[in-house]
């Protein structure tokens, strides 16, 4: 598949990796998964200690606050709950995509877990699958050490604790990472199916759809190959392209039918004071910080956004494969141009794991002990910040 193989990869390397059995692939990923699990356990342990000192429950902080409550309510009672706030905001549960509450309902029906704990179980299990998918992408493109570093970097994000909450970020990232991997290995039907599921999980599922569509376009359009798109060898590609948007479009269409408006989902988001304005509201927010006593916070935000964009440009310069660039670029664009509660922006960027590849490659060049010390120190900082963050007053 044109444009997906690394030019510097040894001949046959990708085919051999793609053809591994599941046990062999899991064995190869085991060190990365153990490092990921250890990092997340550290985060939960620090949170538990902090919460105990503050007189709170670490379990409740992870499973039954903010968005977690909306998901569990949908799982228990279905859609239909709306809050009308004094400031005029209208918070409807239709803003939340259905895959996580569906899974919560299924698990709570089959096990003794209630919906909140079922959501926590989904998050913890899917975070491991997300880590495995992220490792598979990094390993395929740059080798095992880069794949391992990429997984641990994703684990030690400042807001990495959200990967252990009853939120949808871990589930979405698992579907997205494996969807991108399916594109890298030419599994079009798998990629389309995973894109459809990602589209049932979060609005940003359109990023995975875009990766499928644009990768297919890049494979078919050069040299007029689109004229032979219906040939047998391309039918699986076209099936994947057709499957990809079904989840996202299906839910948005259902909300439209339920609200009686084609733009129903956009209206629901407006009720939450969310939506997309090209980044104008975010720019005003940062400008307000820079103009007042919170100048250091505003400067920190500017530096953080600049660093993210610089990392993405570096991915482009390194000629990472199109599926990775399209997916990461779409996630960044959607997160940075959204308006609403700006405290959630770091969480919205959690699925953008491909932008960590340049850092992972740099860490992989260090001696193993030095890389482990760097990641361990960052992991401890992430655990402390996560505990501080969840013990605060605002939602992540």
């Amino acid at each position: 598949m044109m444009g997906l193989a690394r030019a510097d990869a040894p001949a046959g390397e990708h085919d051999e990796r793609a053809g591994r059995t599941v046990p062999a692939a899991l064995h190869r990923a085991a060190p990365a998964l153990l490092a990921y699990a250890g990092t997340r356990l550290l985060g939960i342990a620090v949170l538990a200690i902090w919460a105990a000192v503050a007189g709170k429950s670490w379990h409740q902080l992870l499973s039954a606050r903010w968005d977690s409550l909306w998901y569990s309510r949908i799982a228990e009672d279905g859609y239909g709950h709306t809050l009308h706030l004094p400031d005029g905001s209208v918070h409807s549960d239709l803003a939340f995509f259905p895959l996580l509450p569906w899974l919560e309902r299924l698990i709570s029906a089959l096990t003794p877990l209630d919906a909140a704990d079922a959501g926590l179980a989904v998050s913890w299990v899917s975070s491991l699958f997300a880590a495995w998918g992220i490792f598979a992408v990094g390993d395929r493109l740059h080798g095992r050490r880069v794949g391992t570093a990429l997984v641990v970097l994703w684990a030690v994000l400042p807001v990495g604790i959200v990967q252990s909450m009853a939120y949808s970020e871990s589930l979405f990232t698992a579907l997205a990472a494996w969807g991108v991997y399916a594109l890298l290995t030419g599994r079009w039907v798998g990629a389309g199916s995973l894109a459809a599921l990602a589209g049932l999980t979060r609005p940003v599922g359109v990023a995975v759809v875009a990766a499928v569509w644009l990768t297919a376009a890049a494979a078919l359009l050069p040299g007029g190959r689109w004229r032979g798109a219906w040939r047998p060898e391309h039918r699986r590609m076209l099936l994947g392209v057709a499957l990809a948007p079904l989840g996202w479009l299906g839910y948005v269409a259902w909300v439209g039918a339920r609200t009686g408006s084609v733009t129903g989902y956009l209206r629901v988001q407006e009720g939450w004071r969310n939506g997309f304005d090209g980044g104008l509201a975010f720019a005003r927010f940062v400008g307000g910080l820079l103009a007042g006593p919170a100048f250091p916070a505003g400067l920190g935000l500017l530096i953080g956004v600049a660093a993210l964009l610089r990392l993405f440009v570096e991915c482009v310069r390194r000629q990472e494969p199109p599926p990775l660039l399209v997916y990461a670029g779409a996630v960044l664009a959607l997160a940075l141009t959204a308006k609403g509660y700006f405290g959630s922006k770091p969480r919205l960027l959690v699925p953008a794991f491909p932008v960590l590849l340049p850092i992972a490659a740099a860490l992989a060049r260090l001696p193993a002990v030095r890389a482990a010390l760097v990641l361990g120190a960052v992991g401890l900082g992430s655990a402390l910040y996560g505990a501080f963050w969840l013990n605060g007053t605002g939602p992540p």
Side-chain angles (χ1 to χ4, degrees):
M1 186 165 49
M2 180 171 288
L4 299 190
R6 298 286 302 180
D8 55 350
E13 180 179 357
H14 295 322
D15 291 339
E16 183 271 329
R17 289 182 185 176
R20 285 197 182 105
T21 63
V22 171
L26 184 57
H27 181 267
R28 183 172 178 84
L33 297 181
L34 288 172
Y36 176 80
T39 303
R40 293 276 30 93
L41 287 173
L42 173 64
I44 294 172
V46 172
L47 173 65
I49 295 170
W50 195 304
V53 172
K56 299 178 180 179
S57 164
W58 67 270
H59 176 265
Q60 184 178 20
L61 292 174
L62 291 176
S63 66
R65 287 188 79 188
W66 305 306
D67 290 8
S68 303
L69 294 173
W70 288 90
Y71 283 121
S72 60
R73 184 182 289 113
I74 294 168
E76 292 168 347
D77 303 323
Y79 284 97
H81 182 71
T82 301
L83 290 178
H84 295 266
L85 304 185
D87 65 358
S89 299
V90 179
H91 290 186
S92 166
D93 58 9
L94 294 173
F96 296 90
F97 277 53
L99 186 56
L100 177 57
W102 284 351
L103 292 174
E104 289 180 350
R105 177 178 293 184
L106 176 64
I107 292 171
S108 60
L110 297 177
T111 71
L113 298 177
D114 61 16
D117 283 339
L120 205 57
V122 171
S123 181
W124 288 9
V125 172
S126 60
S127 71
L128 289 171
F129 277 97
W132 189 5
I134 291 169
F135 169 81
V137 170
D139 179 34
R140 178 171 177 81
L141 296 179
H142 301 289
R144 192 177 192 179
R145 290 196 66 183
V146 172
T148 301
L150 185 62
V151 167
V152 180
L153 281 170
W154 187 66
V156 303
L157 289 172
V159 295
I161 190 67
V162 78
Q163 299 162 18
S164 301
M165 296 177 67
Y167 273 36
S168 59
E169 272 73 15
S170 290
L171 177 60
F172 174 79
T173 305
L175 295 167
W178 284 109
V180 169
Y181 182 78
L183 286 173
L184 293 174
T185 54
R187 296 175 170 93
W188 287 99
V189 177
S193 301
L194 289 164
L197 291 172
L200 282 171
T201 308
R202 295 188 61 78
V204 74
V206 294
V208 192
V209 177
V212 174
W213 280 10
L214 293 182
T215 303
L220 288 175
L221 293 180
R225 279 179 287 170
W226 61 272
R227 299 178 187 277
W230 294 106
R231 292 174 182 169
E233 63 267 27
H234 292 147
R235 287 175 186 169
R236 295 183 68 80
M237 180 188 298
L238 294 176
L239 179 56
V241 168
L243 287 171
L246 295 183
W248 190 90
L249 284 177
Y251 181 67
V252 170
W254 180 79
V255 172
R258 188 175 175 109
T259 58
S261 170
V262 175
T263 59
Y265 185 76
L266 295 178
R267 294 185 179 181
V268 168
Q269 288 288 356
E270 285 293 333
W272 282 79
R273 306 290 173 88
N274 290 331
F276 298 93
D277 63 357
L280 293 177
F282 185 46
R284 287 195 294 269
F285 173 72
V286 175
L289 293 178
L290 292 172
F295 175 84
L299 182 61
L301 273 177
L302 278 181
I303 293 172
V305 171
L308 280 173
L309 297 177
R310 178 68 182 85
L311 285 171
F312 180 72
V313 170
E314 180 63 16
C315 288
V316 175
R317 189 193 68 79
R318 289 160 54 91
Q319 298 183 330
E320 300 294 354
L324 220 62
L325 296 178
V326 172
Y327 167 72
V331 173
L332 289 178
L334 291 170
L336 295 178
T337 61
K339 60 182 179 179
Y341 177 63
F342 298 114
S344 293
K345 279 203 181 290
R347 174 171 65 85
L348 300 180
L349 291 164
V350 166
F353 68 89
V355 300
L356 300 172
L357 269 171
I359 304 175
L363 283 169
R365 291 192 292 268
L366 294 177
V369 173
R370 186 179 301 176
L373 289 174
V374 170
L375 290 171
V378 176
L380 179 59
S382 172
L384 291 168
Y385 180 75
F388 166 77
W389 194 39
L390 289 197
N391 278 278
T393 57

